[in-house]
Amino acid sequence: MKYQILPFKKTVLLSVFSIFSTAYFSTAFASQNTKKFEAVVDSLVADICDKSIVLLGELPSHGEAIAFQIKAAVVKRLVETCDFNAVYFEAPVYEFFAFRQALTKKQAKPSQLDRAVGGFWSNTTLQPWRKWLFTQAEEHGLFIAGLDDQVSATSDFAKTKMSIWVGRLVEESQSKSCQQAVDRNLNWRYNDDNPYHQGVNEILKDCSNQAYQAIKKQVNPSIDKSQMVANLANYYARSFDRNTAAERDESMYKNFVWQQADLPANSKAVVWTATVHAARKQGELSFKPLGEWLNDSCSDCLSAIGFSAYSGESSMAGMPTKTIAPAATGTLEASAIKSENDIVYLNQVNLKELAVISSRLFGTFKNANWSEMFDGVVVVKQEKAPSVEK
């Protein structure tokens, strides 16, 4: 199925951005200067507007409100003024698939998109932006999708449908047992009579792989359904034996390629992910990041932007607030805030000037030449924890 992307009215939307940023960001940025905030967004967007794929990272704690606000503003600008027509999340593919089906039937609801986006980004900080995102999908055909083969707590579609799909695809003699096994796992219905143990993984791997092999043999199978089953099979295979499955970032790359291929030619996509996945090169990471997978096939058309914080607070998905200790002198973060600005955008030239330097971009401080991994880095001087939605 090819998706039609309806044109945006850019002239009107430019003024809408100004209203949006002033109304929503300045209030949440009590200590920030709105003009400085918009200046950072302007500079960042100017550097990435002509790219086909943009990766926007964040610390692996997934709980920094100001980074969320900057990323949301950048995504709006890319969609409204730079012709980006797809937004991907480091979130399960399953619920977004169901959301797009509901859009086609004109039955989609904002709450469904919120559940697809997931707990990391379901907070009051991003609430206005998520409403905007829903409107763009519903009224303008903005393509919104997930990349992850994992299943989350808010993956309602996966938890209710995937077990049924598996049960119908495997051999009849195993249909009931496989459906029950997958349903129990995705909804985590384990107890003393049915405990979770290592043998359960083997059953899940076998059932999901059988289902995937069966759907591949069908005449004219549903590509979308086949990909959903393939994702579940890879998720279980990786949980059981990492040597027999695609690593998580490789799986996200495959999901990006599959879904992007269903869009019009010359489509442009922005990916909302963690900085560790956005990196163009593996470096000392233990895995090949999504950014490097994309860099291998689209180096010139890709831009990877990292996000970090000098200090502040963080809260992941409504969990207790944690302190971000001030970065030590001589780190990338400490060097950035010497300008005394609350937010600092280091472009490629700035990163090259810093050369090899320690940074918490990947969560813990590591030495690297960050200009080789990122086209730009945003550093927030004093991060804030997002407010939980009630």
Side-chain angles (χ1 to χ4, degrees):
M1 175 181 179
K2 286 288 183 181
Y3 290 85
Q4 180 184 11
I5 309 299
L6 302 180
F8 293 95
K9 295 181 179 178
K10 294 184 182 179
T11 308
V12 175
L13 290 172
L14 277 169
S15 62
V16 171
F17 167 73
S18 179
I19 296 170
F20 181 94
S21 60
T22 303
Y24 297 124
F25 294 122
S26 60
T27 53
F29 261 100
S31 64
Q32 304 293 335
N33 182 299
T34 303
K35 289 185 178 180
K36 289 181 180 179
F37 171 86
E38 293 185 356
V40 166
V41 173
D42 287 343
S43 296
L44 182 50
V45 171
D47 285 349
I48 62 180
C49 186
D50 64 343
K51 300 298 182 179
S52 297
I53 304 171
V54 170
L55 296 160
L56 296 178
E58 61 194 42
L59 289 171
S61 44
H62 292 293
E64 294 74 42
I66 298 176
F68 289 169
Q69 293 162 349
I70 298 169
K71 289 174 66 172
V74 170
V75 171
K76 285 187 88 273
R77 289 281 292 278
L78 292 178
V79 170
E80 295 176 351
T81 68
C82 300
D83 297 321
F84 278 67
N85 58 1
V87 178
Y88 292 89
F89 287 90
E90 179 199 328
V93 298
Y94 314 95
E95 201 65 19
F96 287 96
F97 167 72
F99 172 69
R100 292 195 302 275
Q101 284 189 318
L103 281 173
T104 301
K105 299 175 183 177
K106 300 188 183 302
Q107 297 174 351
K109 298 179 180 179
S111 59
Q112 189 177 11
L113 177 59
D114 289 346
R115 298 286 286 179
V117 169
F120 288 165
W121 305 293
S122 292
N123 49 65
T124 56
T125 301
L126 289 176
Q127 191 176 57
W129 179 75
R130 293 198 318 274
K131 290 180 179 178
W132 168 85
L133 197 66
F134 178 84
T135 299
Q136 301 312 308
E138 185 178 49
E139 298 181 6
H140 298 284
L142 178 66
F143 184 83
I144 309 175
L147 295 175
D148 217 331
D149 61 15
Q150 296 182 150
V151 179
S152 73
T154 58
S155 297
D156 302 326
F157 176 84
K159 291 191 290 186
T160 57
K161 296 295 184 182
M162 294 307 297
S163 61
I164 296 174
W165 285 7
V166 170
R168 289 175 178 173
L169 287 165
V170 300
E171 295 181 5
E172 187 175 354
S173 61
Q174 294 181 275
S175 177
K176 184 176 180 180
S177 60
C178 280
Q179 181 172 336
Q180 289 177 339
V182 174
D183 176 73
R184 185 177 296 121
N185 177 262
L186 296 183
N187 291 281
W188 206 254
R189 296 192 181 102
Y190 296 108
N191 51 39
D192 292 340
D193 294 329
N194 292 290
Y196 177 81
H197 52 80
Q198 188 62 30
V200 169
N201 280 343
E202 189 167 5
I203 294 171
L204 294 168
K205 177 186 174 184
D206 181 62
C207 288
S208 58
N209 185 57
Q210 278 192 50
Y212 177 52
Q213 296 304 321
I215 200 169
K216 285 202 303 182
K217 294 177 182 178
Q218 292 180 351
V219 178
N220 297 321
S222 164
I223 299 299
D224 289 338
K225 187 173 182 179
S226 179
Q227 289 294 335
M228 291 296 103
V229 175
N231 270 280
L232 187 69
N234 192 72
Y235 170 53
Y236 283 140
R238 189 172 66 249
S239 300
F240 177 73
D241 182 1
R242 302 183 75 90
N243 294 323
T244 64
E247 289 284 353
R248 184 176 169 221
D249 281 62
E250 181 182 0
S251 182
M252 288 197 287
Y253 169 70
K254 289 179 177 179
N255 281 325
F256 178 87
V257 172
W258 151 52
Q259 294 175 110
Q260 194 71 358
D262 208 21
L263 297 180
N266 300 318
S267 288
K268 300 172 71 173
V270 55
V271 180
W272 186 300
T273 185
T275 296
V276 70
H277 297 299
R280 278 180 174 269
K281 290 188 177 181
Q282 180 172 345
E284 295 184 3
L285 292 172
S286 61
F287 59 91
K288 181 177 178 178
L290 171 63
E292 184 170 0
W293 283 102
L294 292 167
N295 184 74
D296 288 346
S297 59
C298 189
S299 177
D300 292 338
C301 70
L302 174 72
S303 188
I305 306 298
F307 280 71
S308 188
Y310 170 75
S311 63
E313 294 183 333
S314 174
S315 175
M316 178 190 288
M319 297 177 68
T321 298
K322 294 183 178 181
T323 298
I324 301 173
T329 301
T331 60
L332 178 147
E333 289 78 6
S335 299
I337 60 115
K338 285 181 179 178
S339 66
E340 298 184 356
N341 286 334
D342 294 323
I343 315 166
V344 179
Y345 168 51
L346 303 173
N347 61 25
Q348 181 68 190
V349 173
N350 302 142
L351 292 177
K352 286 181 178 179
E353 289 174 349
L354 290 173
V356 176
I357 192 170
S358 179
S359 174
R360 61 158 54 108
L361 278 161
F362 291 162
T364 57
F365 282 96
K366 296 181 182 296
N367 286 310
N369 186 333
W370 300 103
S371 68
E372 296 178 351
M373 296 186 176
F374 299 101
D375 300 283
V377 169
V378 176
V379 178
V380 177
K381 183 176 182 180
Q382 187 76 19
E383 259 296 356
K384 299 178 183 300
S387 301
V388 180
E389 288 182 353
K390 297 181 180 179

